[in-house]
Amino acid sequence: RLLAWILALGAVLACHRLARHLLEPVPAAAAAFLFAASPLALQYARFMVTEMPHALWTTVALLGAVRLLGDKRPGVAFAAGAATALAVASKYLGGLAGLAVAWAWAVRGRDGVAPRWSGPRAAAQGALWIALGFGAGLLVGMPDLVANHASYLA
């Protein structure tokens, strides 16, 4: 139960950080407060063994996508891919955050500046960093994936 509360606190902090990238300070604090005051986070967090990791890693993956919009460095791409994989490892629905990461990889930054990987080779390298992060996140989030891969296909 303590781990679920810690993950819930992490989800609230990640929600605030994500909102802070998109909003002014007061609405960002309100977004974090509303998430913290929601029944999922407040009343049921200690029982939600799968929901809290999913909320945390999906929010972190979305934060990675927002960061990738303005900062096309390999480390940011790797972190966004890893957070997406951890969201998938917590619940398969977390893979939807990968759509935001893929979109952030493909479009220009929020300020209209061309992405760092503007050419085809550089774009492929950016995609490779996202894929490497995704692979590393899957190995951390699902350590038995390699040994028991058949059980995941069923």
Side-chain angles (χ1 to χ4, degrees):
R1 290 185 179 183
L2 178 62
L3 180 61
W5 278 104
I6 291 170
L7 293 172
L9 179 61
V12 170
L13 294 174
C15 178
H16 180 264
R17 185 134 186 198
L18 173 63
R20 190 63 190 100
H21 273 282
L22 300 172
L23 304 169
E24 297 295 322
V26 173
F33 175 76
L34 288 173
F35 178 79
S38 71
L40 170 68
L42 187 62
Q43 186 176 1
Y44 300 111
R46 66 178 189 263
F47 301 115
M48 297 294 183
V49 177
T50 60
E51 298 299 329
M52 282 301 118
H54 177 67
L56 171 65
W57 294 118
T58 302
T59 306
V60 171
L62 293 174
L63 177 61
V66 168
R67 287 198 56 214
L68 195 57
L69 279 174
D71 188 0
K72 304 279 190 186
R73 289 181 299 153
V76 176
F78 184 89
T84 301
L86 290 168
V88 168
S90 63
K91 279 188 127 175
Y92 292 142
L93 192 59
L96 291 175
L99 294 174
V101 173
W103 180 76
W105 165 79
V107 301
R108 293 180 182 263
R110 286 187 291 179
D111 56 359
V113 177
R116 183 171 179 162
W117 42 70
S118 55
R121 181 171 181 229
Q125 288 175 344
L128 177 65
W129 280 107
I130 292 171
L132 288 173
F134 191 84
L138 276 183
L139 289 176
V140 169
M142 304 168 119
D144 63 332
L145 181 64
V146 176
N148 299 322
H149 63 278
S151 65
Y152 289 95
L153 298 175

